[in-house]
Every structure is written in C-alpha cells, then in structure tokens.
Amino acid sequence: MKKIFYVLLLMIGFQSLRAQEAQLLDRKLFFGNPEISGGQLSPDGKWISFLKEHGGIMNIWVKKFDESFEKARPLTDSKRPLNGYFWSEDGKYILYVKDKNGDENLNIFAVDPMAKATNDVPESRNLTPLNEVAAQIYMVSRKDPDLLMIGLNNRDKAWHDLYSLKISTGELKKVFENKDRITGYDFDWDEKLRILNKTDDKGTTQFLYKDGDKLTPIYETLVTEEAYIPNWNEDNSKFYLVTNKGDLDQSALFLMDPKTKQITKIESDPKGKVDFGGLSADRNTRKIIFTSYTGDKTEYYWKDKAWEANYKFLQSKFPGKEVNFSSSTKDYSKFLISVWGDNSVSESYFFDTKTKELIFQYTPRPELKKVEKYLASMTPIRYKSSDGLEIPAYLTLPAGSSGKNAPVVVLVHGGPKGPRDYWGYNSIVQFLANRGYAVLQPNFRASGGYGKKFQNAGDLQWGKLMQDDITWGVKHLINNGIADKNKVVIMGGSYGGYATLAGLAFTPDVYAAGVDIVGPSNLFTLLDSVPAYWESARASLYGMVGDPKTEEGKKLMHEASPLFSVNKINKPLLIIQGANDPRVKQAEADQIVIALRDKGKKVNYILADDEGHGFRKPVNSMAMYAETEKFLSEVIGGRYQKDMPENVAKRLKEMTVDIAKVTYTPAVKNQEVKPNK
C-alpha cells in the first residue's frame, strides 16, 4: 500500500510540473468522429478497409494497399454507426452488422468491396431482413468462404435457432431448431458442430457433446460458475476449456476430451491473482500463439517463438507503448498493428514480418495527437472496502493539477458481472481530467477477472456492499488528501448509472451531484422489461438482485431500488437516456424524473430518440458531454467549454426534456412503481 502511495506522490509531482501547460481541449477531439479507425487488411493483403466519416457517420471505406487514404472510396452509407465488420475468407465480401437506432436487433449485411458504386456506394444486401430479430454469428467459414453459421430468434424470441447462411445469395437453411434452451453452438477446426450449451431455468449450464443426432451431457456448471471453449486442439480430438468450476476461484485453462470427459490442466495465472484471460491460436497450424492475463495491465505468455520475436521487435521500436496485432493477412506475413498508451493517442502501422518493414498508416485522432502532452496518466491503486475486501481501481489526475484537494468524478463502469475497467486511453476519463477533475474508476466487487469469489461477492449486494466499494474509494481519496470532500460527483452508464442513483439515494452526504447514463432506477421494472432473448440469464439476474417471485426477493429489490428512496436524494442529478434502449428502458429514467420532479428536487433530463443503451452518434455524444461538463462546472467548479457547433447546440436543445411534461404508465406485469412517501 505504501509503495502505491509513493508512486502517486511521484506522479503528483510530475503533474505539477506540467500545470502551466494544461489547456482546455475541444470536446470534439474526444467525442467527434475519428478521422480513420478500425483498419483491416484484406486476406491477401492487397487492400485496406477502414471506417471513416461518410454523411456524418462512420462508414466502411476501402483502398488498395499502395494507394493513399485520399484515394479510398466509401462502401456503405449507413445512417447508424456500425457494430463492427469483417472480410470473408476469400476477400469477396465485407460483412457488417447494424441495428435500428440502438434497439440491438442486429441484421447482417454484405457488400462487394470491388463492386462499382450505384448511388455513391455499392449496393449492400441485408442477409437477414427480419424485424425485431437479433441475429448472432457463430462461425465464419474458412473451408467455404461463402458460408456463415448464424442464430436467429425469429421462431421464438427467447431462443436462437441455428441456420446456415449463403453470403452470395442470402439463402438461409435451418440446421438446428432450438426447443431445449440451447444458448450456444461450438464448431471445431473442421467446422463441424461438436458442442452445444444448454442453460436451465436455475442457471445451470451443460455442455452437450454432439455425436450424429445424439446429444450427451459432458460438463456442467452452476449459475455461480463459468465455463467456455476458446478453441480446439490441433487434431480436433479435444477442446480447450476455461472454467472456474468447483473449488477453483480464478478460472484456469484445461484440455478436455469430449468422449472420455477427461480434463487436464494446462495453465492458470502464474502470479495467482487473476482469471485466465485469453488464448490466441494460429488458424493455419492450430497451435497456441499466446495466453494472456489482465491484472492492472495485460501480460502475454508466448508459446510461439516466431510470434514472440515479432512482438519483442515491435516493442523495441515503440518503447514504453503497448503494441497489439490488430489485423493480418491469411498467412500472417503482414499485419496492421496498433500502438497506444494511457496518455498517448493510438497509431496504426503496417508491419511485414519477413522484411521487418514498418509503415505508418494513420492515427484515428490526429488533432488530439498534436496536443497529447496535455493528456493525463492513469495509475492503478488499491484500497479496502467497508468489510476489508481489497478493491482494485484506477486513478487519473489532471495534467494541470497538484493532486491535492481536487474535485473528483467517480466513474463507475457497467455490467456488473463480468465487465471491468482497464488501464489505457479512455476518452471520457481524459475529457474529465482535462476539465480539471481527478477520475476514480473502481473495479468494485462483481467486476470480472478477479476470481469467482470477487465476482459473486456482489450477489444481492446492489446498493449495499457493492456501493460501499465505491464509497470507500471516495473515502480513500479524501483521507489521502487527493479529493475535496465537498466536490465529489458520481457518474456512470448502465450499472454505473444505477450506482449513481444509489449513491445519491443511499449515501446522500458523500456526493455533490450525479450523472446517470442509461441507469435503472426500479429493479422490478428492470427485470420485467429485459429482452426476450435474455431468458437464459434470468436466474443469474435473480441471483444478483433478488427473485421478484419471493417475498424475500421483493424486499431486497425494493430496498436496492433508488426510486423508492427518492426522498433521500438532495443533490442535483443529470439523467441521460436513449429512447430505444432494450436493456434499460426509457421507463427507468421517466420514473425517477417524475418522482424527483414531484418532490421539487433538481433534475435535468436528456433523451435521444435515435439512441439505445449508450450514445453512438457523435453529434449526440458531443451534445451529451457539453451538457455534462456544464453541469459538473456548476456543481464542483471544473472548466467548461461554453461554445459548441450549431448542429450540436441544436441537437442538445432537441434532446433536452421539459420535465414538467414527462409521463409514465406502468405495464401490466407485477411491478412496484410507487416511490416511498
């Protein structure tokens, strides 16, 4: 603990030297569209695809490798930011997925990157033109590049049937009809369906081994345990299994024979601190390239000497930076790599493994790159919670700060089970630090990666010990002289939004204000409105917050719902919501806005009619953060960029809700919707 504190003192001293350098950076540098991002090499390395603005939205572009980026041509003209894209194995198609205004009902699209433009861009074909259906991609074929294996919940909204999809024609064929709560399909290297996952209504998951038409249970985990298959071994006789079943706390890597059920341990974290992180396998040799583990940062354990040599060569060229292999040709001879850090903007380079040639390609945010000396460092810290549990976190101090008695924003991540915060560049963190705030990111209990006990320690602790993990982080900063106790704001999205509401409701004296982004306020209405295809996770959700079918569960949920303690909220609150959010419905925001309004409490409400669970469109993001920084400046006195482009000002006005007009009509289900008098 002392060592960590000394590191902080050194960092504070360094930041003080830079105090005179700090300048207010335009919010567009953080939240506007990147100039270029998401670069990928075609399988043969002759082309580069990437995302670039087209019609104000990031769309897919393509160019020959040896052409300049200025000669690239657009392939898509989506009015909605895309949820990712990839090349087919033969390079004939680029495939991408997108939803409608954030509803998360994803369709799969294909475009021919070599086709001529008809109206500015080539024609994109919707391969799954279905409404209110969330397509899932399970396997992208290498043997038949025209084939995908996908899941569709068109027959039953709660469960995905397995289909083969022919890219060239859009032909769909049902391969497996899911009438038995199947939640996953796993294919081996030969693209043969070998393992299916089945989850019962108690949350117990079975691995079913498929032999012909026969499905045999071979492995089982409880709702409080996890297991998944990251890949198969070289001859397809066994699969790698990552699990924390039974007495295991941190998950480990095993090899399992599906026929004999024999399990052999391969490895776990050499330091014994975190869960198994990742496994990367060579698609040509089928051998493991590396395994990884993420504590404060990610560490790689190389199994392939050639890959390791390339990685170390790149590290030598970019000392002090992180290096990732982001895209490659089919034979792994050429790569796009990304180079980045916590306070340095990422850059993309082409790397030839044979010649060791490195060619700069682009930086997503070149204007921010020019002023990155004003970005702040992120430091891992530890502190104890109310029950003595050690909480890992990250602390970022503003470049112009002495690190003493600073205004603080506690930025709480979503989830909660599984997600966590990571070390590295974070646009929201850097934006807040530039405005003069120290930023604390706590990996509270229930965050992923720190073992089963740590993750499950959050069960039935919403608003209780989970909230203590955040509150005691604030106390840690106050006790060490870092935070001004009168200038601490809590902010977060999804579960982080819930924690914001809970912080103001259950510990009203700790915070000066809160910024709730798509956070639930009423756990009853939250559980009643989750998407149908989350049915397999219902037992897990009940395990986290309580079972609404039992009196004990109802009591827990009532106590943990900020809506029912709204009378205790006495600090300003900014609520931000997407109207099409399928996870945390608009009703969660409406309910607490109405309750606060009716009690004469201060609440501001931003609602985007074209967003879902978080804002994706840059104009919406910039409007949202313009309002956020104004709000923060008013309550804890940080810096505020008053000017904004006309389109952003217009959008902010459109999204700003007159709280006097907010209404809410409860659904028919068994919900508790009335806040305490």
Side-chain angles (χ1 to χ4, degrees), residues 40-43 47 49 62 85-89 91 93-94 113-114:
Q40 293 184 27
L41 288 172
S42 63
W47 301 82
S49 56
V62 71
Y85 78 94
F86 60 93
W87 289 79
S88 62
E89 193 68 21
Y93 302 100
I94 286 179
M114 306 307 150

Side-chain angles (χ1 to χ4, degrees), residues 51 59-60 75-78 80-87 93-99 106-112 121-128 137 148:
L51 297 174
N59 274 278
I60 303 170
L75 293 181
T76 61
D77 62 353
S78 174
R80 174 80 185 157
L82 307 182
N83 291 67
Y85 78 94
F86 60 93
W87 289 79
Y93 302 100
I94 286 179
L95 296 112
Y96 61 95
V97 294
K98 68 173 179 176
D99 64 6
L106 296 173
N107 282 176
I108 303 169
F109 294 78
V111 61
D112 179 353
V121 296
E123 177 191 7
S124 280
R125 291 178 295 115
N126 188 345
L127 303 180
T128 56
I137 299 175
L148 299 178

Side-chain angles (χ1 to χ4, degrees), residues 391-402:
I391 304 301
Y394 296 100
L395 178 63
T396 301
L397 299 176
S401 168
S402 67

Side-chain angles (χ1 to χ4, degrees), residues 214-244:
K214 184 179 179 183
L215 296 176
T216 305
I218 60 170
Y219 194 75
E220 183 175 287
T221 53
L222 302 176
V223 68
T224 53
E225 301 169 332
E226 295 179 347
Y228 65 90
I229 299 171
N231 223 313
W232 290 72
N233 70 343
E234 295 170 51
D235 64 6
N236 278 326
S237 62
K238 303 178 182 67
F239 58 79
Y240 292 106
L241 173 69
V242 178
T243 183
N244 60 10

